[in-house]
Amino acid sequence: MKTSDVPEGRRRQWRADRALRPAMRSPGRPDPSRVVQRQFWRLIATGVTTVEASLAVGVSWPVGARWFRHAGGMPPVSLAEPSGRYLTFEAREEIAILRAMSKGVREIARALGRDPGTISRELRRNAATRGGKQEYRATVAQWKAQQAAKRPKSAKLLGNDQLREYVQERHSGNVHRPDGTVVAGPQTPSWKGLNKPHRQDRRWATAWSPEQISHRLRVDFPEESMRISHEAIYQALFIEGRGALKRELVTCLRTGRALRTPRARSQNKPQGHVTGDVVLSERPAEAKDRAVPGHWEGDLIIGTGRSAIGTLVERSSRATLLVHLPRQEGWGESPPVKNGPALGGYGAIAMNTALTTSMTQLPEQLRKTLTWDRGKELSGHAQFALDTGTKVFFADPHSPWQRPTNENTNGLLRQYFPKGTDLSRWSPTDLEAVAMAINNRPRKVLGWRTPAEVFEEQLRSLKQPGVATTG
């Protein structure tokens, strides 16, 4: 049916429906509905990856990645759940099905529990008309409704020059000397949109946090016009197209993150090597009170170039063992390969070998348990337990206080092995010398005895008659 064949009254109604609405561009393939996008962000909030969330809601992963990147990792406010007065995508699908079955407007209204006028306007306003006639399709109708519902609101920083300048100066202003001259700081590469610069110079800036800026405004300005929430500042930094603050100013945040990371995702790292029988709650009670020797805590101290040193500390005596982790054959001969062999020295196999060598030098009674963090370097803990008789337990995620002796000792060791240095240059004899220095320092917690003295007492007690010889 051509446009000329449409009755004049209906053509006038179409023109009236379009009179209050600007011309819409051709949607081509309409974007997924807000229902789909809301479900995508719900999955992101549970901690799944962008790829997994995209596939779960039925869109390609590049589309999901674009949603996440453009929103700065923050669920858009525009995706709030609609109230019951608005038609949902599911309701529009049902309308399309009933319309295809040649059901009338009143019959569709009764089926959906809606007013007939609502259904009539929906069929007129949101139908596809590119072919010269009205053809109702749910996806096109949802797209048209979403376009018509948009109420663009400019960011507060765009409409208030004084507020924007204050925020920008406190967040990304220059660092000054006491005499007022600007300190240039290090030369930094141009921002490439990457997340969190690692091990490289960053721009020196005033670097007030959004929360500091938001609360300081109340001190410096009594007027209400100079108010902005820290969340609004974060949105201006993270969300593309806000226009108030330049995107590259995220480098002035303390973390340097270019995207907001959902809390559940940061806590949902792969930890398949930690099963229910090796969590900290399963560790023997005797390990907690430090009365019985033979319970150890362990971790890595990391240096540059994927170098590392293993640290082992006995909970009762505070005696320290340093584990040499040499780089594997082939290191540095070719560029590293993603998911390739771990040649840095602390892959699972190399770690097991080095730990086994260190632990088996101890009497069996002094190697009962080992408490480690959630690092993947000890994913071969089952084989290590078989080789040494030492049961491995893993602390809870992000809980360094559950290995307090080891964390304290690592802090002491940083005097000898500072962050940002190559730890692979030290030989086993060098590590032994440092361990000896640490073990011969008197400790307040030991009554000013040294860990070496207490550990020696433990060894002597094992040799006395009547002492149990089982682990």
Side-chain angles (χ1 to χ4, degrees):
M1 183 172 63
K2 298 180 180 179
T3 306
S4 57
D5 298 332
V6 179
E8 181 63 28
R10 185 177 297 180
R11 287 202 301 272
R12 283 199 305 270
Q13 183 62 58
W14 288 3
R15 287 195 295 269
D17 288 336
R18 293 195 296 267
L20 301 177
R21 159 185 309 183
M24 293 185 180
R25 62 174 178 79
S26 172
R29 178 184 175 88
D31 292 333
S33 69
R34 292 187 181 183
V35 176
V36 174
Q37 296 183 48
R38 276 193 289 270
Q39 182 61 24
F40 170 83
W41 285 106
R42 288 194 195 101
L43 291 172
I44 290 294
T46 65
V48 303
T49 66
T50 306
V51 174
E52 292 170 341
S54 304
L55 298 179
V57 301
V59 300
S60 65
W61 71 262
V63 171
R66 186 170 67 249
W67 288 349
F68 190 87
R69 185 177 66 254
H70 287 185
M74 307 168 66
V77 178
S78 61
L79 293 180
E81 291 283 352
S83 64
R85 61 178 292 203
Y86 298 102
L87 289 173
T88 63
F89 181 62
E90 291 81 0
R92 289 189 169 94
E93 286 184 320
E94 192 167 350
I95 291 174
I97 293 172
L98 294 174
R99 193 62 172 172
M101 297 169 61
S102 301
K103 302 293 184 180
V105 170
R106 294 186 178 276
E107 191 172 356
I108 296 174
R110 284 194 297 269
L112 271 66
R114 294 279 185 169
D115 186 89
T118 300
I119 305 301
S120 178
R121 284 190 298 273
E122 174 68 18
L123 292 172
R124 288 199 316 270
R125 291 178 177 177
N126 294 330
T129 57
R130 294 185 65 190
K133 61 179 180 179
Q134 290 178 309
E135 183 179 355
Y136 191 83
R137 294 194 294 272
T139 52
V140 175
Q142 181 70 19
W143 177 81
K144 283 192 169 186
Q146 290 174 188
Q147 294 298 107
K150 286 182 177 179
R151 300 294 184 270
K153 183 180 180 182
S154 61
K156 188 173 184 178
L157 292 176
L158 277 177
N160 189 328
D161 294 340
Q162 183 183 8
L163 180 61
R164 183 177 66 255
E165 290 173 4
Y166 182 95
V167 171
Q168 192 158 316
E169 174 61 28
R170 269 64 182 178
H171 178 67
S172 58
N174 293 319
V175 175
H176 296 83
R177 294 187 179 91
D179 61 2
T181 58
V182 175
V183 180
Q187 293 292 327
T188 57
S190 58
W191 188 65
K192 299 179 181 179
L194 301 178
N195 199 23
K196 290 195 71 174
H198 294 281
R199 301 291 183 186
Q200 64 183 32
D201 287 328
R202 292 175 57 184
R203 172 188 166 188
W204 284 13
T206 314
W208 286 21
S209 72
E211 186 175 18
Q212 290 169 335
I213 296 172
S214 175
H215 285 81
R216 185 66 188 186
L217 278 166
R218 298 178 179 274
V219 177
D220 293 343
F221 298 95
E223 56 267 28
E224 289 293 327
S225 61
M226 295 294 287
R227 297 285 185 273
I228 189 170
S229 68
H230 66 275
E231 185 66 22
I233 300 175
Y234 276 119
Q235 289 184 10
L237 291 169
F238 285 141
I239 300 177
E240 289 187 14
R242 297 288 288 183
L245 299 175
K246 294 182 179 179
R247 190 78 168 82
E248 58 266 24
L249 295 186
V250 294
T251 58
C252 298
L253 293 171
R254 181 186 60 79
T255 61
R257 289 194 186 99
L259 297 171
R260 177 171 283 181
T261 304
R263 183 180 292 109
R265 178 183 290 184
S266 66
Q267 297 174 350
N268 194 25
K269 295 178 181 178
Q271 295 173 345
H273 63 290
V274 181
T275 54
D277 61 326
V278 294
V279 294
L280 190 68
S281 58
E282 298 296 320
R283 189 178 66 177
E286 67 177 30
K288 184 176 181 180
D289 58 16
R290 302 177 187 267
V292 179
H295 300 282
W296 297 76
E297 297 176 5
D299 195 11
L300 297 177
I301 53 176
I302 305 296
T304 57
R306 296 193 62 80
S307 59
I309 297 173
T311 62
L312 296 171
V313 187
E314 204 276 318
R315 285 176 56 82
S316 178
S317 66
R318 277 70 173 180
T320 300
L321 293 178
L322 296 184
V323 182
H324 185 236
L325 299 171
R327 290 187 172 130
Q328 304 298 295
E329 183 180 354
W331 169 265
E333 295 178 2
S334 59
V337 179
K338 185 176 182 180
N339 297 326
L343 303 178
Y346 55 97
I349 298 176
M351 194 73 205
N352 265 13
T353 302
L355 276 181
T356 301
T357 301
S358 296
M359 291 296 286
T360 51
Q361 295 176 4
L362 301 169
E364 183 179 354
Q365 298 93 326
L366 289 184
R367 42 185 165 94
K368 297 176 180 177
T369 68
L370 172 61
T371 303
W372 205 265
D373 68 358
R374 293 290 177 112
K376 297 287 284 185
E377 65 272 2
L378 211 58
S379 57
H381 61 88
Q383 185 61 47
F384 170 77
L386 288 175
D387 295 339
T388 64
T390 304
K391 181 69 173 175
V392 178
F393 297 93
F394 292 93
D396 297 331
H398 314 291
S399 304
W401 58 86
Q402 294 178 349
R403 299 176 299 100
T405 310
N406 183 242
E407 288 291 324
N408 178 68
T409 303
N410 286 350
L412 299 177
L413 289 169
R414 282 300 186 185
Q415 179 180 355
Y416 302 93
F417 311 115
K419 292 182 179 180
T421 60
D422 184 4
L423 304 183
S424 65
R425 53 186 166 158
W426 305 117
S427 67
T429 54
D430 295 329
L431 301 187
E432 186 178 3
V434 172
M436 183 178 297
I438 292 290
N439 287 333
N440 283 284
R441 287 184 184 179
R443 302 289 184 89
K444 181 179 180 179
V445 72
L446 299 176
W448 301 113
R449 294 183 297 169
T450 67
E453 292 170 345
V454 177
F455 193 70
E456 184 64 28
E457 289 180 7
Q458 294 174 350
L459 290 175
R460 286 198 301 267
S461 68
L462 295 177
K463 298 175 182 179
Q464 294 177 1
V467 176
T469 57
T470 56

